[in-house]
Amino acid sequence: LGQMVMVGLMVLMPLHAKHLGHEDAATGLISVHILGMFAFGWLTGRLVDGWGRTTVIQLGAALLMISGFTAVFATRPLEMGFSLFVLGLGWNFLAVAGSTLLTDHLEPHERARVQGSAELVTWLSAAVGALGGGLIVGAFGFPVVGWVGLGLGCVPLVATWLLTAKARG
């Protein structure tokens, strides 16, 4: 879901900016997004190990939700950039914590096959995010893509809360 939301918002925000008359902002928007995706990679692994996989997944999901919410109302490049930066950082947290959690529960001989399957699902989700986002924009307008991102961001947050509560009780 993180990949789906990330790609859907990432590919459509520059078009949204263009439609609002900010043609020159597209490169900067993508640059800020990539900064969010990768600039804190050195810290994310430490957070996953220190705070735990579930906590970082929850934080990443919350960041996706914030990004989706801010995307709904973003009409200026600064607002759009904030939304995309937070989106990239949320994706980073979900990707690192999720892949770490996956490998935690696999035997060495299972990792390549399962991780390959996970990558297939990840990139199919990216295609769904880009195509679905485009269809949503065409039918309902860009703000609905933000609302969908916010809603999909809720899923890993609620799922980890429920699984954690189940494990405790």
Side-chain angles (χ1 to χ4, degrees):
L1 288 173
Q3 186 77 8
M4 184 185 302
V5 172
M6 191 268 297
V7 170
L9 282 169
M10 174 192 67
V11 300
L12 293 167
M13 188 71 80
L15 294 174
H16 178 57
K18 182 179 178 184
H19 288 140
L20 293 175
H22 306 296
E23 292 87 6
D24 297 338
T27 302
L29 290 173
I30 295 301
S31 296
V32 167
H33 173 66
I34 291 170
L35 186 70
M37 289 176 70
F38 299 112
F40 298 98
W42 61 271
L43 177 62
T44 306
R46 291 181 180 151
L47 293 177
V48 168
D49 289 339
W51 292 356
R53 284 86 168 120
T54 302
T55 300
V56 177
I57 288 171
Q58 291 169 342
L59 183 57
L63 289 170
L64 285 188
M65 294 167 60
I66 291 167
S67 175
F69 183 76
T70 58
V72 170
F73 303 103
T75 58
R76 296 178 299 193
L78 184 63
E79 298 159 353
M80 294 175 196
F82 174 79
S83 179
L84 286 180
F85 176 81
V86 170
L87 178 69
L89 187 59
W91 171 85
N92 175 295
F93 286 1
L94 287 168
V96 173
S99 62
T100 303
L101 186 63
L102 181 67
T103 58
D104 285 347
H105 297 285
L106 296 174
E107 296 296 325
H109 69 277
E110 298 173 310
R111 287 185 183 152
R113 181 181 46 80
V114 174
Q115 285 179 319
S117 298
E119 286 295 315
L120 174 65
V121 171
T122 298
W123 293 107
L124 288 174
S125 297
V128 169
L131 179 61
L135 293 171
I136 290 169
V137 168
F140 305 107
F142 180 80
V144 176
V145 175
W147 288 120
V148 170
L150 187 150
L152 290 175
C154 289
V155 174
L157 185 63
V158 171
T160 54
W161 279 341
L162 292 174
L163 292 171
T164 303
K166 184 179 176 181
R168 287 185 191 149

